[in-house]
Amino acid sequence: KAKESYIQLQEQIPQWQFLLGSHFQRIIRASKTIGTLDVDYYVDIDAKERGEPVHIYYKNGDSIIHGNKSSSYVTMMQYLKEEQAGKILTPVANEQLSILLNAGQFSYSELPLTFGLVFGVTGTLAPLSAPQRNMLQDNIW
């Protein structure tokens, strides 16, 4: 909290001090978990040869996904770690830094209660057992 940049941020948006404080606590916790989580990620060092910025990618099942600033505070801390190791350029790492504010949430399970008809669920309903189907039919449809 003594950093000049944090103080400037507080001065710019004084009404959000509590929110800033809680998010910076999350950022600090994320920085302490780097290297302790069992997360498969790699730094695409070959991107330099292609003339592209170097980024972090995660293994997700059989696919690879780009880790960007909307992923998590852990991703942001991984960018800073790799920047300190000299694998990622400072401007690319700085581009990933942000505060992740949640603007709202809703439950997909509540959709059938709101709408009379829901499309696109046949693939997810096919493997249900008879008791599960009955529960859905009795409670939702």
Side-chain angles (χ1 to χ4, degrees), residues 19-20 22-24 26-27 30 68-77 95-104:
L19 187 63
L20 286 175
S22 68
H23 278 272
F24 275 91
R26 292 178 190 174
I27 292 168
N68 60 26
K69 62 184 165 192
S70 64
S71 297
S72 71
Y73 290 129
V74 173
T75 299
M76 290 181 210
M77 296 301 106
E95 194 175 280
Q96 300 303 318
L97 301 178
S98 63
I99 295 177
L100 302 174
L101 298 177
N102 187 351

Side-chain angles (χ1 to χ4, degrees), residues 42-48 50 52-57:
Y42 78 98
V43 180
D44 183 17
I45 297 174
D46 296 334
K48 285 181 185 177
R50 297 189 306 268
E52 299 172 1
V54 177
H55 285 285
I56 288 176
Y57 294 86

Side-chain angles (χ1 to χ4, degrees), residues 10-78:
Q10 281 186 313
E11 289 172 355
Q12 288 177 8
I13 46 175
Q15 67 276 23
W16 297 101
Q17 284 189 22
F18 172 76
L19 187 63
L20 286 175
S22 68
H23 278 272
F24 275 91
Q25 288 173 0
R26 292 178 190 174
I27 292 168
I28 291 166
R29 276 196 303 272
S31 70
K32 291 178 180 178
T33 64
I34 298 300
T36 64
L37 299 174
D38 188 22
V39 176
D40 287 336
Y41 79 93
Y42 78 98
V43 180
D44 183 17
I45 297 174
D46 296 334
K48 285 181 185 177
E49 294 173 15
R50 297 189 306 268
E52 299 172 1
V54 177
H55 285 285
I56 288 176
Y57 294 86
Y58 292 96
K59 185 175 192 276
N60 184 15
D62 290 337
S63 61
I64 301 292
I65 59 172
H66 176 233
N68 60 26
K69 62 184 165 192
S70 64
S71 297
S72 71
Y73 290 129
V74 173
T75 299
M76 290 181 210
M77 296 301 106
Q78 287 169 329

Side-chain angles (χ1 to χ4, degrees), residues 113-127:
L113 303 176
T114 306
F115 301 100
L117 193 57
V118 179
F119 290 102
V121 294
T122 53
T124 57
L125 296 178

